Amino acid sequence: MAGISSISAVHFLTLSLFVFSAVAFATPEDEDSFVRSVDRKLLGLRKQKLSHFRLYWHDTLTGKNPSSVRIVPPVSNSSTTGFGFVQMIDNALTAGPDPRSKLWGRAEGFYAAASQENPGLLMAMNFAFFSGKYNGSSLTIFGRNPFMEKVREMPVIGGSGLFRFARGYAEARTSKIDFKTGDAVIEYNIYVLHY
């Protein structure tokens, strides 16, 4: 028994010295081994271009198949801004204000009443494209939407597919709204830098 425990002690000491040596002699280069530089061309990143997209966003709260559904009610009925409500969306993105115009993709995400005093929404959505050159790519918009103003500006914070590393901004203008039902058509002009 004494021989086995002394062998274990020797193994433990040897292992401890090995681990201590590895830690003590680590170089700063080893500490940063999780990151490395990458040649832009390997990712297909060439010269950036600026593109302008004009799309119509159809927020439909009524009918048999609404594209916008309330998932969280407002904090209180006395709120004049609806503060706290959250609406999940899967809205059509079309070429024109007519819902029957060419479908370019869908706006998927949510918007929420994020202001207690002035009407304002937090918008978090991906514009997922299904047609044309950008089929399978998406743009991400995340920002404040003071929806009662004539023109609202929100940041484009990224994207996927042909919009990897994208950045820019989106301008929203109300094209049509039914104050009784809440159904709305919003014109989006998006200016985006991408590769």
Side-chain angles (χ1 to χ4, degrees):
M1 263 329 207
I4 292 176
S5 62
S6 63
I7 290 174
S8 296
V10 169
H11 282 104
F12 176 76
L13 286 173
T14 305
L15 181 61
S16 297
L17 282 170
F18 176 73
V19 169
F20 175 76
S21 299
V23 171
F25 297 111
T27 65
E29 183 177 289
D30 293 335
E31 292 173 9
D32 293 334
S33 63
F34 67 93
V35 64
R36 65 185 173 95
S37 294
V38 177
D39 183 2
R40 294 163 38 126
K41 291 178 184 172
L42 291 175
L43 293 175
L45 303 178
R46 292 178 176 77
K47 187 177 178 182
Q48 275 193 326
K49 56 187 168 187
L50 176 63
S51 295
H52 170 223
F53 297 86
R54 185 175 70 187
L55 303 161
Y56 289 84
W57 183 88
H58 298 267
D59 196 41
T60 308
L61 288 74
T62 59
K64 292 181 182 179
N65 191 22
S67 66
S68 184
V69 178
R70 182 153 303 172
I71 58 171
V72 177
V75 173
S76 82
N77 290 333
S78 63
S79 170
T80 58
T81 65
F83 179 66
F85 84 77
V86 179
Q87 200 85 5
M88 191 62 61
I89 62 168
D90 183 13
N91 291 345
L93 296 170
T94 63
D98 185 333
R100 294 170 301 214
S101 61
K102 182 170 177 56
L103 180 69
W104 285 109
R106 309 223 34 114
E108 299 168 341
F110 68 89
Y111 58 86
S115 178
Q116 294 185 56
E117 295 178 14
N118 300 308
L121 301 173
L122 166 68
M123 307 293 290
M125 56 188 169
N126 290 311
F127 279 22
F129 295 96
F130 303 150
S131 301
K133 175 182 178 181
Y134 299 105
N135 182 22
S137 299
S138 67
L139 287 170
T140 302
I141 296 172
F142 185 85
R144 182 173 185 272
N145 180 356
F147 61 90
M148 294 302 285
E149 293 181 13
K150 184 177 180 180
V151 179
R152 290 88 69 189
E153 184 177 310
M154 293 163 273
V156 173
I157 61 167
S160 65
L162 293 176
F163 297 116
R164 289 183 193 127
F165 301 103
R167 65 187 190 282
Y169 70 98
E171 289 181 350
R173 290 176 177 80
T174 303
S175 177
K176 178 179 155 188
I177 188 164
D178 182 334
F179 287 103
K180 197 180 237 184
T181 64
D183 291 354
V185 178
I186 310 298
E187 177 185 341
Y188 272 86
N189 282 280
I190 304 168
Y191 299 88
V192 63
L193 283 167
H194 62 104
Y195 292 94

